[in-house]
Amino acid sequence: PALETEAMPAVDATVTVCQPIAEFLRDQYHLPEVPPLVPNSPIGNLPETGKPLTIRDFLSIDDDAPLLVYAGGLSYHRGVHDVIAALPQLPGVHLAIGARRGSSYTDELEQLAKQKNVTARVHFVPFAPTHEVAEYLSSATAAIIPFLPVGNHNWAAPNKYFEAVQAGLPILTSDMEWLSERINRYGIGEVFEHSNP
């Protein structure tokens, strides 16, 4: 926010990813118009690539095992630790985390899985090429977006939402304003209290 405040008077143009953030930027920085939107959405209608891999191709679990998927950047404010903490209450449910490995947070997630005795149900899987993300995710049972109310999460229209919609997955999301409104309006999932496994 400090860098944004410093730089905003000098920029030639502003774009953002969703309407609530655009309106906030207009009001916060007295912009002459609402910035145009460039949604965080996968590109559709690209040429066929053959049979893209799916998340289940990387897992040794039954085809009908319930599988939640979280795909995207990992940090504490993304709330994935709350999903792992909830797994003991969800017998048989697996969690696939599509992310790069080797951060202090992934180490923390692995430790938490051990503490909760759910290591066998927490799986780290690689990222997919951008144009194959929807098909990659489609073998899961549901997508989960456990954001905490930090930064722009309350207003964000995250790419995870659009990817899950294109994959035809129900979405389980924490009670962030933009996400909750969309999930409830379209009846495509469930909203849960953030930070509450």
Side-chain angles (χ1 to χ4, degrees):
L3 180 60
E4 183 179 274
T5 300
E6 179 184 334
M8 194 59 82
V11 302
D12 294 320
T14 304
V15 297
T16 190
V17 297
C18 69
Q19 195 66 32
I21 294 174
E23 292 169 4
F24 169 81
L25 291 171
R26 178 200 59 204
D27 297 345
Q28 179 75 14
Y29 300 109
H30 310 290
L31 301 177
E33 60 186 31
V34 176
L37 303 182
V38 179
N40 270 337
S41 180
I43 300 167
N45 301 319
L46 291 173
E48 290 290 326
T49 58
K51 182 200 174 293
L53 292 172
T54 70
I55 285 179
R56 287 186 191 260
D57 291 330
F58 291 91
L59 306 178
S60 296
I61 63 174
D62 292 339
D63 290 344
D64 60 350
L67 177 62
L68 299 177
V69 61
Y70 172 87
L74 280 175
S75 62
Y76 188 84
H77 65 274
R78 300 293 179 107
V80 177
H81 54 277
D82 290 328
V83 182
I84 292 174
L87 285 178
Q89 301 172 62
L90 301 167
V93 174
H94 291 256
L95 171 64
I97 303 168
R100 293 183 182 92
R101 296 284 306 270
S103 71
S104 59
Y105 188 58
T106 58
D107 293 344
E108 184 179 324
L109 295 177
E110 288 176 331
Q111 282 302 114
L112 180 60
K114 285 179 189 170
Q115 290 170 7
K116 298 291 182 179
N117 199 28
V118 293
T119 302
R121 295 192 284 133
V122 174
H123 314 275
F124 289 89
V125 295
F127 284 141
T130 304
H131 61 288
E132 295 181 6
V133 170
E135 287 183 78
Y136 184 66
L137 301 178
S138 67
S139 66
T141 308
I144 190 157
I145 308 173
F147 285 177
L148 305 183
V150 175
N152 69 354
H153 283 178
N154 212 29
W155 302 326
N159 54 350
K160 291 163 198 51
Y161 167 82
F162 296 104
E163 291 163 353
V165 167
Q166 287 192 15
L169 295 177
I171 301 170
L172 309 175
T173 183
S174 58
D175 50 356
M176 301 298 102
E177 185 177 318
W178 189 93
L179 284 164
S180 297
E181 192 277 330
R182 291 308 184 283
I183 299 308
N184 289 328
R185 182 197 311 176
Y186 298 120
I188 56 173
E190 295 290 338
V191 177
F192 58 89
E193 183 182 13
H194 73 79
S195 310
N196 183 353

